[in-house]
């Protein structure tokens, strides 16, 4: 009956050719048949006063399974005239038909059979395969345009009776089979186009989301690139500063050595003069005693100064930690630059190999052209020899003609034939000469073209020689760069040794501070995330120790400074320690 009612509704709606109202009889019968299909095998829910058997319960599940159905459920609940669950279910079916999504909603229900088992028996229509067949037939109803008024109708008290007379076959129905077949084909095409449209909409939305994600990642990468460039510029500036400081230190040491040499020479001269007399020695001893007493006072003063400097040394060690981190970053940057220089050298070597292969090919072409020119010159010589032979033959024939004229004047008639034959031979020889001259001209033109090609190839060979020179210059520059690289590596190794020594000193001072304060100073390798914001550390997000608790935080979570009992000067402190110290200070105040 469901199949008959759906097919009849589609055929009559297409023949009707307008939007359907609630008074349309095939549409009313369709809703009645759908009620019976949904009621088939429905479980009875007992309560204290009565028992309940309605289809509104399974239809409410659609809202949870299909989020777009929430609008229908809300509008059905807001209708004022509906009081019973059956009326709400009838209104829900009418609204789903108007939205053209009844098949989608019921398909979600049929798939979730575990949830449907709470409402239906195992032999129910919705629990078996026939329910899936009915849902497939409901897809064809998307062709129909219906305009149903749900507010004014009394859906609670309607009686659902199936009118079988509408589905009896008539002679006209049998005659209209061809028309129904055409209509079914059109409906299938329309359904196919609608499904394609849905798939295209879903692909377009996914592509939009991908484009948005790619744009976000692109902006992030651009920002990281700018940060990396700024870091490289800073590292280069620091490198220049370190070099200038190294030069200054060398100058100072040289000056100090010169001063010490002068002092030693003066002391030797004074020692020689001091040997002249014992009196002078005695006076010098007294002077030395006075100097030693003064030195003792100076040493005591220096001890006092060293005690005061000890605190400054602790602060300097903490600053050294920061410098160590920054210098490690500079080392990483310099190694990356060296790797780039190596890659450039490899590319230049590959280009040189390609240019050498091109030179070899051009040298082979030059050798071939020289062979061709030798062959052409040999052919020219042969042609000149032939021309000389032809001229000699012509002279011989002329001499013979004169002799024949002098000797055979009487035999003029008999010799005329021979003369005509000889004239023909002369014409043929002249034509041969003309052909040979034209061939010679063409050969000369070919020779000129080949000479031009040779000059072009020579220019190219000169260019290749210049490229070789440039390559040699580049090799020299590469060797110079390698020397600079080795020097920089040695300087970096020296810096690393100094840094390792300073690190050892810092660790000793930290251990002493731990023994005094009882704090745990975390290592840089152990901490990968900030303790407060739990973000991962990177080149832009650096590590910083809290001088109070010893934990590692990012710059945003440890940008406060306060004086501590161990250091009178203000020191970096995390946000939590800063708040605790401020609370203690405020509580200690009167």
């Amino acid at each position: 009956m469901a199949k008959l009612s759906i097919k009849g509704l589609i055929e009559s709606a297409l023949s009707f050719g307008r939007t359907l109202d609630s008074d349309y009889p095939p549409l009313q019968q369709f809703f009645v048949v759908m009620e019976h299909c949904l009621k088939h095998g429905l479980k009875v829910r007992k309560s204290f006063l009565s028992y309940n058997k309605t289809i509104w319960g399974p239809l409410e599940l659609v809202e949870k399974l299909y989020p777009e159905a929430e609008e229908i459920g809300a509008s059905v609940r807001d209708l004022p005239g509906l009081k019973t669950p059956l009326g709400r279910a009838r209104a829900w079916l009418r609204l789903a038909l108007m939205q053209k999504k009844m098949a989608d909603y019921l398909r979600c229900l049929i798939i979730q059979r575990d949830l449907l088992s709470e409402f239906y028996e195992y032999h129910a229509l919705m629990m078996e395969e026939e329910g899936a067949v009915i849902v497939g037939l409901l897809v064809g109803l998307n062709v129909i345009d219906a305009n149903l008024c749900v507010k004014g109708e009394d859906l609670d008290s309607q009686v659902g009776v199936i009118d079988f007379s509408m589905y009896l076959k008539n002679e006209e129905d049998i005659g209209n089979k061809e028309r129904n077949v055409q209509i079914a084909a059109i409906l299938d095409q329309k359904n196919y186009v609608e499904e394609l449209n849905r798939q295209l909409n879903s692909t377009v939305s996914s592509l939009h989301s991908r484009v948005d994600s790619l744009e976000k990642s692109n902006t992030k990468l651009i920002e990281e690139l700018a940060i990396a460039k700024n870091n490289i510029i800073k590292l280069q500036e620091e490198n220049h500063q370190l070099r200038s400081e190294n030069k200054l230190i060398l100058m100072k040491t040289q000056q100090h050595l010169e001063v010490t040499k002068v002092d030693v020479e003066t002391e030797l001269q004074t020692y020689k003069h001091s040997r002249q007399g014992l009196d002078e020695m005695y006076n010098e001893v007294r002077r030395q005693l006075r100097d030693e007493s003064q030195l003792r006072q100076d040493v005591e003063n220096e001890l006092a100064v060293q005690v005061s400097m000890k605190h400054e040394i602790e602060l300097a060690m903490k600053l050294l930690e920061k410098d160590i981190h920054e210098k490690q970053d500079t080392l990483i940057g310099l190694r990356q630059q060296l790797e780039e220089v190596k890659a450039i050298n490899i590319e230049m070597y590959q280009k040189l190999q390609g240019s050498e292969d091109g030179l070899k090919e051009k040298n082979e072409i030059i050798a071939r052209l020289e062979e061709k020119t030798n062959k052409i010159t040999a052919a020219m010589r042969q042609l000149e020899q032939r021309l000389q032979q032809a001229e000699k033959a012509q002279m011989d024939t002329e001499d013979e003609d004169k002799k024949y004229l002098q000797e055979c004047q009487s035999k003029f008639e008999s010799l005329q034939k021979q003369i005509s034959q000889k004239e023909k031979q002369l014409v043929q020889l002249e034509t041969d000469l003309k052909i040979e001259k034209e061939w010679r001209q063409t050969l000369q033109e070919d020779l000129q073209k080949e000479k031009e090609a040779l000059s072009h190839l020579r220019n190219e060979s000169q260019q290749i020689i210049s490229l070789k020179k440039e390559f040699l210059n580049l090799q020299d520059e590469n060797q110079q760069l390698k020397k600079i690289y080795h020097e920089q590596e040695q300087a970096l190794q020296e810096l690393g040794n100094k840094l390792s020594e300073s690190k050892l000193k810092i660790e000793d001072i930290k251990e002493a501070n731990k023994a005094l304060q009882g704090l745990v100073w975390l290592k840089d390798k152990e901490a990968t995330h900030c303790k407060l914001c739990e973000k991962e550390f990177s080149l832009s997000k650096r590590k910083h120790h809290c001088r109070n608790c010893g934990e590692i935080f990012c710059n945003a979570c440890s940008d406060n400074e306060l004086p501590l009992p161990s250091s009178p000067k203000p020191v970096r402190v995390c946000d939590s320690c800063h708040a605790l110290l401020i609370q203690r200070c405020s509580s200690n105040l009167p």
Side-chain angles (χ1 to χ4, degrees):
M1 286 306 298
K3 290 178 184 178
L4 288 170
S5 64
I6 292 164
K7 287 181 181 179
L9 179 61
I10 292 165
E11 291 172 0
S12 60
L14 290 171
S15 62
F16 189 59
R18 287 182 294 173
T19 56
L20 304 179
D21 297 328
S22 58
D23 296 331
Y24 193 61
L27 188 62
Q28 291 177 354
Q29 286 298 309
F30 166 73
F31 286 126
V32 171
V33 172
M34 285 305 297
E35 280 182 29
H36 283 285
C37 290
L38 291 168
K39 285 180 181 177
H40 184 263
L42 196 67
K43 289 181 181 180
V44 177
R45 292 193 174 185
K46 294 181 180 180
S47 62
F48 291 106
L49 300 173
S50 62
Y51 62 94
N52 190 8
K53 187 179 180 182
T54 58
I55 58 173
W56 176 240
L59 293 176
E60 278 185 321
L61 278 174
V62 178
E63 295 179 18
K64 297 177 182 177
L65 301 172
Y66 204 84
E68 293 180 5
E70 290 179 359
E71 294 179 1
I72 295 175
S75 58
V76 167
R77 292 187 192 93
D78 292 336
L79 288 172
L82 299 175
K83 296 178 182 179
T84 61
L86 184 61
R88 292 191 191 95
R90 288 170 178 171
W92 189 91
L93 290 170
R94 282 159 176 75
L95 290 172
L97 182 67
M98 283 194 283
Q99 281 189 349
K100 297 183 180 181
K101 289 186 177 179
M102 186 185 286
D104 297 333
Y105 296 156
L106 293 177
R107 189 182 290 111
C108 291
L109 268 178
I110 288 168
I111 291 165
Q112 302 292 331
R113 290 190 179 180
D114 296 333
L115 297 172
L116 280 177
S117 61
E118 295 179 1
F119 298 96
Y120 290 98
E121 300 288 344
Y122 67 94
H123 62 275
L125 184 67
M126 297 294 287
M127 297 291 287
E128 294 183 354
E129 294 180 357
E130 293 176 356
V133 174
I134 292 167
V135 170
L137 292 169
L138 289 172
V139 176
L141 295 175
N142 294 333
V143 182
I144 297 168
D145 295 324
N147 188 6
L148 306 174
C149 183
V150 183
K151 287 184 180 179
E153 288 191 39
D154 186 11
L155 297 173
D156 293 329
S157 61
Q158 284 184 1
V159 179
V161 179
I162 299 171
D163 188 5
F164 292 100
S165 62
M166 294 178 68
Y167 306 109
L168 295 173
K169 291 185 179 179
N170 297 323
E171 293 178 357
E172 294 176 357
D173 295 333
I174 295 163
N176 293 327
K177 282 184 180 179
E178 294 178 357
R179 184 180 177 187
N180 292 330
V181 170
Q182 292 176 357
I183 289 163
I186 291 162
L187 288 171
D188 292 332
Q189 289 175 0
K190 187 178 179 183
N191 293 327
Y192 179 70
V193 169
E194 285 178 354
E195 287 180 358
L196 279 175
N197 194 4
R198 287 177 188 172
Q199 291 177 359
L200 289 169
N201 286 325
S202 64
T203 53
V204 165
S205 63
S206 65
L207 287 170
H208 280 302
S209 63
R210 284 182 184 175
V211 167
D212 293 331
S213 64
L214 287 170
E215 286 177 354
K216 289 177 181 177
S217 63
N218 193 5
T219 53
K220 287 180 181 178
L221 288 170
I222 290 163
E223 289 174 358
E224 289 178 356
L225 212 164
I227 291 162
K229 285 181 179 177
N230 293 323
N231 289 326
I232 287 162
I233 292 161
K234 288 178 182 177
L235 291 170
Q236 287 175 355
E237 290 175 356
E238 287 177 358
N239 193 0
H240 289 301
Q241 288 178 359
L242 288 168
R243 284 180 181 175
S244 62
E245 287 175 1
N246 194 3
K247 288 178 181 178
L248 289 169
I249 289 160
L250 287 169
M251 292 290 288
K252 287 179 181 179
T253 51
Q254 287 176 0
Q255 290 175 0
H256 186 67
L257 285 168
E258 289 175 357
V259 170
T260 51
K261 283 180 181 178
V262 172
D263 292 334
V264 168
E265 288 175 358
T266 54
E267 284 176 0
L268 284 168
Q269 289 176 1
T270 54
Y271 183 74
K272 286 176 183 179
H273 290 295
S274 64
R275 284 185 179 180
Q276 292 176 0
L278 293 168
D279 295 330
E280 291 177 357
M281 288 288 287
Y282 183 72
N283 293 322
E284 284 175 359
V285 168
R286 279 187 177 181
R287 287 173 186 175
Q288 286 178 0
L289 284 168
R290 289 174 186 175
D291 293 329
E292 284 176 358
S293 62
Q294 287 178 0
L295 285 168
R296 187 177 179 183
Q297 289 177 358
D298 294 330
V299 167
E300 288 175 354
N301 292 323
E302 284 177 358
L303 282 169
V305 171
Q306 285 179 0
V307 170
S308 62
M309 288 290 288
K310 188 177 180 181
H311 298 291
E312 293 179 357
I313 288 163
E314 289 177 355
L315 292 170
M317 296 301 283
K318 291 173 182 176
L319 292 170
L320 271 170
E321 286 181 358
K322 293 181 182 177
D323 293 332
I324 287 160
H325 290 299
E326 291 174 354
K327 286 174 182 176
Q328 284 177 353
D329 295 334
T330 56
L331 286 169
I332 291 161
L334 288 168
R335 284 173 184 169
Q336 290 177 356
Q337 288 177 2
L338 289 168
E339 287 176 358
E340 290 175 356
V341 169
K342 286 178 182 177
I344 291 161
N345 289 327
I346 290 161
E347 288 178 357
M348 292 298 294
Y349 183 71
Q350 290 176 357
K351 287 181 182 177
L352 197 149
Q353 285 182 351
S355 64
E356 286 179 352
D357 295 332
L359 244 179
K360 288 178 182 178
E361 290 177 359
K362 287 176 181 178
N363 288 324
E364 290 176 357
I365 292 163
I366 289 162
R368 290 173 186 172
L369 289 169
E370 286 177 353
E371 288 176 0
K372 285 183 181 178
T373 51
N374 292 324
K375 289 179 182 177
I376 289 161
T377 51
M380 290 289 290
R381 287 173 185 173
Q382 290 177 2
L383 288 169
E384 287 177 354
Q385 290 175 2
R386 285 180 185 176
L387 279 168
Q388 289 175 1
Q389 289 175 3
E391 287 176 355
K392 288 179 180 179
Q394 192 176 1
M395 294 292 290
D396 293 334
T397 52
E398 285 177 356
D399 293 331
E400 286 175 359
D401 288 333
K402 287 178 182 179
K403 288 177 181 179
Y404 281 121
L405 286 168
Q406 290 175 1
E407 289 175 0
C408 302
Q409 289 179 355
S410 61
K411 296 179 181 179
F412 182 72
E413 293 178 355
S414 63
L415 292 169
Q416 276 183 350
K417 293 179 182 178
Q418 293 178 359
I419 291 163
S420 62
Q421 289 177 358
K422 289 179 179 178
E423 284 178 352
K424 288 178 182 178
Q425 288 178 358
L426 280 168
V427 170
Q428 286 178 357
L429 287 167
E430 285 177 354
T431 52
D432 292 332
L433 281 168
K434 286 179 181 178
I435 290 162
E436 286 178 353
K437 284 179 180 178
E438 289 175 355
W439 189 44
R440 188 175 180 182
Q441 287 177 356
T442 54
L443 287 170
Q444 285 178 353
E445 289 175 356
D446 292 332
L447 268 171
Q448 286 178 356
K449 289 179 182 178
E450 288 175 354
K451 284 178 181 178
E452 289 175 355
L454 275 168
S455 63
H456 183 66
L457 289 168
R458 282 172 185 169
N459 292 323
E460 286 182 352
S461 65
Q462 288 177 358
Q463 289 177 359
I464 289 160
I465 291 161
S466 64
L467 284 169
K468 273 187 176 179
K469 289 178 180 178
E470 288 178 358
F471 177 73
L472 292 169
N473 292 324
L474 287 169
Q475 279 184 345
D476 295 331
E477 289 178 0
N478 190 8
Q479 289 177 357
Q480 290 176 1
L481 287 169
K482 281 181 179 178
K483 287 180 182 177
I484 293 162
Y485 166 69
H486 289 302
E487 290 175 358
Q488 287 179 355
E489 273 191 347
Q490 288 175 359
L492 288 170
Q493 284 177 359
E494 290 175 358
L495 282 170
N497 292 323
K498 289 180 181 178
L499 288 171
S500 63
E501 289 174 0
S502 61
K503 270 189 177 180
L504 291 169
K505 289 179 182 178
I506 288 159
E507 286 176 357
D508 293 334
I509 290 161
K510 283 180 182 177
E511 288 175 357
N513 287 324
K514 284 179 186 178
L516 291 170
Q517 297 176 3
L519 296 174
V520 178
W521 192 266
L522 278 179
K523 292 182 181 178
D524 291 336
K525 293 180 181 179
E526 293 177 356
T528 57
H529 294 77
C530 180
K531 192 172 181 182
L532 285 176
C533 62
E534 294 183 355
K535 290 183 180 178
E536 190 175 2
F537 294 114
S538 62
L539 286 171
S540 60
K541 203 169 191 69
R542 300 292 301 277
K543 299 176 182 179
H544 297 283
H545 280 88
C546 176
R547 300 300 187 273
N548 189 27
C549 62
E551 297 290 336
I552 294 173
F553 303 89
C554 64
N555 190 19
C557 296
S558 63
D559 56 350
N560 304 305
E561 288 185 353
L562 281 175
L564 296 173
S566 61
S567 62
K569 290 184 179 181
V571 183
R572 184 183 285 273
V573 176
C574 65
D575 292 340
S576 59
C577 292
H578 183 261
L580 287 169
L581 290 168
I582 288 166
Q583 284 179 2
R584 287 175 186 174
C585 290
S586 60
S587 63
N588 290 325
L589 288 170

